[in-house]
């Protein structure tokens, strides 16, 4: 009886693998990959990447107080050392507006520079700060916004000496948070069972239930003002711009067998990229209607967590353990 059970289990497993492979065969591959893999001189997990006012001068930050600098637009990177009390900080966000930049991380830390990163000053944070700094956005001279890991939002206009709370109550622990160019925020709850939206001028977050039984993994703002949502099982949805809280039909860019879509970003108004676990990378050139798979990137031994485009011809994807993908365009 035990032998029959083992045979049945093995047969079912092989059948599932066969079904998976058949479904994968329907994903049309890109003829040429526009991405180049870069191994940074670090094993730290990179969390964020940005550029100063000089498009050739950029920074990445990550775990173990990792901070690296490029002066050639991201082709090569060099480690930099900050004078801190510990190398156990996990820098989660970095942002520049011209020469002025900010870094936040955990345990709670806030760093500020006014000279493109030649020198960094550590700024004091209130012991009453609700949560730990999670993201920071440079907004101009002496101005920035900062969120914490429970959804508090603060703004400064005096280079971090004072911070004003923009929302009266926190949203709770979240898994992802995104900011639109207009200053709106959207946060996905830690369990992925609801999301919350905040707009400038509002006193509190607006909670929204997810629209299916699938756990939400990430959300953000599309170029045309819609929302996008990635959910478990490889599901992608866009909101309906004409009807609040209504969503268009779900699509599965990498087929339903995909369990790990992690981020989405636009390169141009009509070209959108989606990344995920196991080197999954897909692109749509018709605003999400049809999809192609970048099969060459599957060889990169990394989950692809974050996609950043700084212009139509300059972009990066953040992976694990110091892996970056740099957008090269298609020859």
């Amino acid at each position: 009886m035990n032998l029959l059970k083992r045979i049945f289990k093995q047969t079912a497993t092989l059948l599932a693998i066969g079904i998976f492979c058949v479904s994968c065969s329907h994903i049309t591959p890109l003829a040429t990959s526009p991405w180049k893999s870069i191994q940074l001189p670090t094993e730290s997990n990179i969390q964020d990447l940005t550029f100063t006012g000089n498009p050739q001068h950029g920074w990445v930050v990550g775990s173990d107080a990792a901070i690296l600098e490029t002066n050639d637009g991201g082709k090569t990177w060099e480690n930099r050392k900050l004078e801190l009390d510990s190398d156990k900080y996990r820098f989660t966000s970095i942002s520049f507006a011209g020469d002025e930049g900010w870094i936040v991380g955990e345990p709670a830390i806030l760093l500020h520079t006014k000279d493109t990163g030649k020198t960094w000053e550590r700024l004091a944070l209130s012991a009453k700060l609700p949560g730990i700094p999670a993201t920071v956005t440079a907004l101009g001279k002496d101005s920035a916004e900062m969120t914490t890991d429970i959804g508090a939002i603060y703004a400064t206009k005096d280079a971090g000496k004072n911070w004003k709370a923009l929302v009266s109550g926190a949203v709770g622990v979240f898994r992802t948070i995104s900011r639109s160019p207009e200053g709106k925020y959207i946060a996905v709850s830690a369990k992925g069972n609801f999301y919350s939206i905040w707009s400038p001028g509002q006193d509190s977050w607006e909670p929204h239930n997810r629209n299916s039984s699938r756990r939400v993994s990430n959300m953000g703002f599309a170029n045309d003002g819609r929302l996008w949502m990635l959910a478990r099982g490889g599901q992608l949805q866009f909101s309906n711009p004409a009807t609040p809280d209504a969503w268009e039909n779900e699509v599965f860019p990498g087929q339903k067998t995909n369990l790990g879509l992690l981020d989405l970003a636009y390169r141009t108004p009509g070209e959108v990229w989606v990344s995920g676990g196991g080197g999954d990378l897909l692109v749509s050139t018709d605003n999400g209607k049809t999809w192609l798979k970048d099969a060459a990137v599957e060889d990169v031994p990394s989950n692809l967590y974050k996609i950043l485009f700084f212009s139509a011809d300059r972009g990066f994807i953040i992976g694990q353990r110091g892996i970056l993908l740099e957008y090269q365009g298609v020859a």
Side-chain angles (χ1 to χ4, degrees):
M1 182 63 69
N2 289 337
L3 178 60
L4 289 175
K5 287 183 178 179
R6 286 199 299 271
I7 293 173
F8 178 78
K9 186 176 181 179
Q10 291 170 354
T11 301
T13 300
L14 291 172
L15 180 60
I17 292 173
I19 293 172
F20 174 84
C21 293
V22 168
S23 68
C24 289
S25 66
H26 296 302
I27 310 174
T28 304
L30 275 175
T32 305
S33 174
W35 297 91
K36 176 185 177 183
S37 178
I38 297 174
Q39 176 62 61
L40 300 179
T42 180
E43 287 292 310
S44 297
N45 286 321
I46 300 304
Q47 301 294 315
D48 202 7
L49 181 155
T50 194
F51 285 85
T52 67
N54 176 0
Q56 296 298 306
H57 185 204
W59 296 88
V60 296
V61 294
S63 60
D64 303 317
I67 179 167
L68 295 91
E69 182 180 16
T70 180
N71 286 290
D72 57 12
K75 294 179 177 59
T76 61
W77 298 81
E78 295 183 7
N79 282 294
R80 298 289 182 248
K81 181 70 174 178
L82 300 181
E83 296 300 325
L84 300 172
D85 57 332
S86 170
D87 62 358
K88 299 302 181 184
Y89 288 100
R90 177 175 174 264
F91 297 143
T92 55
S93 181
I94 182 170
S95 180
F96 270 86
D99 293 347
E100 188 172 4
W102 307 79
I103 295 174
V104 297
E106 57 177 315
I109 188 170
L110 171 64
L111 303 173
H112 181 228
T113 180
K114 288 192 172 183
D115 56 13
T116 70
K118 294 182 180 66
T119 59
W120 292 88
E121 176 188 8
R122 182 168 183 176
L123 303 181
L125 288 166
S126 171
K128 297 181 180 179
L129 181 73
I132 298 169
T135 69
V136 66
T137 303
L139 297 176
K141 180 176 173 54
D142 297 336
S143 299
E145 283 182 3
M146 173 178 65
T147 69
T148 73
D149 63 350
I150 59 172
I153 307 173
Y154 288 87
T156 182
K157 293 184 178 180
D158 58 7
K161 296 182 180 65
N162 297 283
W163 293 85
K164 177 184 177 181
L166 300 182
V167 60
S168 61
V171 70
V173 180
F174 59 78
R175 63 170 54 199
T176 65
I177 188 168
S178 299
R179 184 183 188 276
S180 76
E182 299 77 28
K184 294 181 179 180
Y185 285 90
I186 185 166
V188 177
S189 68
K191 293 183 179 180
N193 56 348
F194 73 94
Y195 63 94
S196 300
I197 298 175
W198 179 85
S199 298
Q202 289 183 325
D203 184 59
S204 59
W205 289 86
E206 293 182 357
H208 299 259
N209 291 323
R210 63 187 177 188
N211 64 333
S212 75
S213 60
R214 294 177 183 272
R215 181 178 299 173
V216 180
S217 57
N218 198 1
M219 294 184 68
F221 299 92
N223 280 3
D224 56 7
R226 294 182 299 167
L227 299 176
W228 55 261
M229 176 191 294
L230 299 176
R232 190 171 183 178
Q235 176 180 291
L236 166 63
Q237 280 184 286
F238 291 96
S239 64
N240 187 322
T243 309
D245 287 338
W247 292 83
E248 297 178 352
N249 291 335
E250 68 272 12
V251 296
F252 295 85
Q255 304 296 328
K256 293 185 180 181
T257 49
N258 186 313
L259 297 178
L261 295 181
L262 302 173
D263 199 18
L264 180 151
Y266 282 80
R267 187 180 73 86
T268 66
E271 182 177 306
V272 58
W273 289 82
V274 175
S275 65
D280 271 355
L281 186 59
L282 303 110
V283 61
S284 170
T285 57
D286 53 13
N287 211 13
K289 295 181 178 64
T290 61
W291 294 85
L292 301 172
K293 186 176 181 65
D294 193 333
V297 174
E298 288 181 319
D299 295 333
V300 176
S302 177
N303 296 324
L304 304 177
Y305 289 107
K306 191 172 186 177
I307 311 172
L308 297 163
F309 281 105
F310 300 96
S311 66
D313 58 358
R314 193 159 58 105
F316 294 86
I317 301 177
I318 296 174
Q320 297 169 285
R321 297 182 297 277
I323 288 180
L324 288 181
L325 299 182
E326 180 189 10
Y327 184 79
Q328 303 278 294
V330 179

